[in-house]
């Protein structure tokens, strides 16, 4: 027996175990593949669940887009409606200013014109004109919605008509006291017609276009401001204008003439150097267009205004020639005046014609026997 028999043999150190390698793709045990295929539905990476999630996200995005579009559209509609309302309010403000700051003071000044120096009256009316021009500028500066372009066109027409008429009236006011008084009154009466036209355009164009546009957008709580710039149709009458502005006039607007006598007397009629006589045949060089000089006098106790006269040439055959003229003023107590009356066209030559000259009757005139005279005239070359 060996000396070392009792000793245990030496043991080897345990070698560490190599970890098992993960199965390669497409390989592995049946058990592993079975476990992978039995993973629950909905696990990460499941294609069906991924499609569901994508569909849900798309639906939410579409819904958000629809809400955004609806919101933007509602905002735009609200903004458009507010713009229409603002335009209507601004039009009303300008027209109100035209009524109260232009029309009202203008006619107050004109009604008191008889007690005001013509130049002072003109200066005061020009101040009103400045306000009218400012209304035009305000109208042009408006923020106009596209649907209101027709209303805007006619609004500017209204404001421009009024501003221009005020200017022309102011220009003619000093002429009411001179020899052209009646012509000035006629022109002022024409500008009053412009005011009337502006009222018609506003009521028949501006207001309907604005209201129709508001109704198209279902806006029903916006009233229209009325405008009557011409306060009284009497201002269309030149005789009324002269009476109001100067205290003088023919009285056509009144049925009661001033106290005292009224009337005129025809003094003489001549053509060139030939003075016509009523009881003889008058031979007158005809020329192309003869001119009659008519002289008459105011034989009453009152000044007369807007006096008419007429020269009528009546041939034996053919069409008569009638010419009318008007005299602004004649002076009481025998004031004489001579009026030149061009015949306008050549009378018949070398044949007798009847010439009648007449001074129109004025209000309050009783005796008209000396207002008319008839002459026999032969016009020759």
């Amino acid at each position: 027996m060996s000396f070392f028999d009792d000793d245990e043999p030496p043991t080897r150190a345990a070698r560490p175990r190599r970890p098992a390698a993960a199965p390669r793709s497409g390989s592995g045990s049946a058990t592993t593949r079975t476990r992978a295929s039995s993973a629950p539905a909905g696990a990460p990476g499941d294609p069906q669940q991924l499609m569901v999630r994508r569909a849900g996200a798309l639906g939410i995005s579409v819904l958000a887009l629809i809400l955004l579009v609806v919101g933007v559209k509602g905002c735009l509609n609200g903004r458009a409606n507010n713009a229409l309302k603002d335009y209507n309010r601004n039009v009303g403000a300008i027209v109100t200013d035209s009524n109260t700051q232009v029309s009202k003071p203008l006619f107050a000044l004109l009604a008191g014109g008889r007690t005001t120096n013509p130049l002072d009256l003109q200066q005061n009316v020009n101040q009103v004109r400045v306000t009218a021009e400012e209304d035009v500028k305000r109208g042009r500066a408006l923020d106009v919605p596209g649907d209101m372009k027709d209303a805007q066109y006619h609004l500017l027409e209204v404001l421009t008509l009024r501003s221009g008429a005020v200017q022309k009236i102011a220009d003619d006011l000093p002429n009411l006291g001179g020899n052209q008084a009646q012509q000035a009154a006629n022109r002022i009466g024409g500008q009053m017609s412009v005011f009337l036209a502006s009222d018609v355009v506003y009521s028949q164009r501006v207001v309907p276009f604005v209201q129709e546009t508001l109704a198209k957008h279902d806006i029903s709580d916006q009233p229209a401001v009325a405008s009557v710039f011409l306060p009284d149709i009497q201002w269309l009458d030149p005789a009324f204008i002269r009476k109001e502005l100067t205290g003088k006039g023919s009285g056509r607007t009144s049925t009661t003439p001033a106290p005292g006598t009224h009337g005129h007397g025809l003094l003489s009629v001549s053509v060139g150097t030939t003075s016509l006589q009523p009881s003889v045949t008058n031979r007158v060089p005809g020329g192309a267009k003869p001119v009659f000089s008519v002289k008459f006098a105011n034989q009453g106790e009152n000044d007369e205004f807007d006096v008419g006269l007429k020269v009528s040439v009546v041939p034996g055959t053919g069409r008569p020639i009638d010419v009318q003229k008007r005299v602004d003023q004649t002076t009481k107590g025998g004031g004489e005046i001579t009026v030149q009356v061009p015949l306008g066209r050549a009378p018949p030559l070398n044949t007798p014609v009847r010439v009648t000259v007449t001074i129109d009757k004025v209000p309050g005139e009783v005796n008209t026997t000396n207002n008319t005279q008839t002459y026999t005239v032969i016009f020759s070359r």
Side-chain angles (χ1 to χ4, degrees):
M1 181 169 75
S2 171
F3 177 77
F4 297 100
D5 286 343
D6 292 337
D7 295 331
E8 295 180 359
T11 61
R12 294 181 179 179
R15 298 177 67 180
R17 303 181 71 178
R18 182 176 299 174
R24 294 180 181 178
S25 176
S27 64
S29 64
T31 303
T32 303
R33 289 196 299 271
T34 300
R35 287 175 181 173
S37 63
S38 63
D46 179 30
Q48 182 178 1
Q49 182 62 21
L50 183 60
M51 291 180 63
V52 171
R53 289 181 177 179
R54 288 178 177 175
L58 180 61
I60 293 173
S61 298
V62 171
L63 179 60
L65 180 61
I66 292 173
L67 293 176
L68 178 62
V69 170
V70 171
V72 170
K73 184 177 180 181
C75 181
L76 293 177
N77 287 341
R79 183 179 300 176
N81 287 352
N82 287 336
L84 294 173
K85 293 179 181 180
D86 289 343
Y87 178 78
N88 182 56
R89 284 192 292 267
N90 290 333
V91 168
I94 294 174
V95 171
T96 298
D97 188 80
S98 182
N99 293 339
T100 59
Q101 302 303 317
V102 181
S103 173
K104 187 174 180 180
L106 171 65
F107 284 98
L109 289 169
L110 296 180
R114 69 182 68 182
T115 61
T116 307
N117 179 279
L119 293 178
D120 291 339
L121 179 61
Q122 182 185 47
Q123 182 178 358
N124 293 335
V125 171
N126 271 324
Q127 292 176 357
V128 176
R129 173 188 56 79
V130 172
T131 303
E133 291 175 349
E134 287 298 322
D135 287 340
V136 176
K137 293 178 182 179
R138 289 174 61 191
R140 288 175 178 163
L142 285 178
D143 186 6
V144 184
D147 289 351
M148 290 293 190
K149 62 181 181 180
D150 290 332
Q152 174 70 5
Y153 173 83
H154 291 292
L155 173 67
L156 293 180
E157 183 180 18
V158 168
L159 298 175
T160 303
L161 285 173
R162 293 176 177 180
S163 175
V166 174
Q167 172 69 74
K168 291 177 181 179
I169 288 173
D171 292 343
D172 251 325
L173 288 174
N175 297 327
L176 287 171
N179 294 331
Q180 300 298 314
Q182 188 57 44
Q183 289 86 337
N186 291 340
R187 290 191 295 268
I188 292 174
Q191 298 310 312
M192 296 297 175
S193 298
V194 173
F195 291 149
L196 180 61
S198 77
D199 287 340
V200 174
V201 172
Y202 180 76
S203 64
Q204 300 301 313
R205 288 293 183 269
V206 179
V207 171
F209 280 134
V210 170
Q211 293 302 310
E212 287 170 9
T213 301
L214 293 174
K216 185 172 68 175
H217 290 267
D218 296 325
I219 302 173
S220 59
D221 58 343
Q222 296 294 301
V225 174
S227 180
V228 179
F229 195 92
L230 183 68
D232 195 320
I233 61 172
Q234 288 190 94
W235 285 103
L236 300 174
D237 181 3
F240 176 83
I241 291 170
R242 286 190 65 182
K243 186 177 180 181
E244 288 297 300
L245 271 62
T246 66
K248 302 175 182 179
S250 65
R252 286 188 294 169
T253 59
S254 174
T255 58
T256 304
T261 59
H262 297 261
H264 298 92
L266 181 61
L267 301 180
S268 67
V269 179
S270 61
V271 181
T273 58
T274 303
S275 180
L276 302 184
Q277 303 298 321
S279 58
V280 300
T281 299
N282 301 271
R283 293 185 176 273
V284 176
K289 298 176 182 178
V291 177
F292 288 80
S293 294
V294 180
K295 184 178 181 179
F296 65 101
N298 183 330
Q299 298 174 340
E301 298 173 340
N302 291 273
D303 289 350
E304 305 293 350
F305 302 91
D306 192 22
V307 181
L309 63 91
K310 178 181 179 181
V311 174
S312 179
V313 177
V314 182
T317 60
R319 183 165 57 95
I321 303 174
D322 293 326
V323 181
Q324 294 183 331
K325 297 283 281 187
R326 304 201 75 83
V327 177
D328 292 330
Q329 180 178 352
T330 62
T331 306
K332 63 185 178 181
E336 297 181 358
I337 186 168
T338 300
V339 181
Q340 303 298 317
V341 185
L343 200 54
R345 61 188 176 94
L349 297 179
N350 303 317
T351 183
V353 296
R354 188 174 72 252
V355 176
T356 301
V357 179
T358 302
I359 310 301
D360 290 349
K361 177 183 177 181
V362 296
E365 186 172 5
V366 177
N367 180 16
T368 59
T369 57
N370 58 350
N371 286 38
T372 301
Q373 189 59 260
T374 301
Y375 310 91
T376 300
V377 180
I378 297 177
F379 293 96
S380 60
R381 292 189 185 278

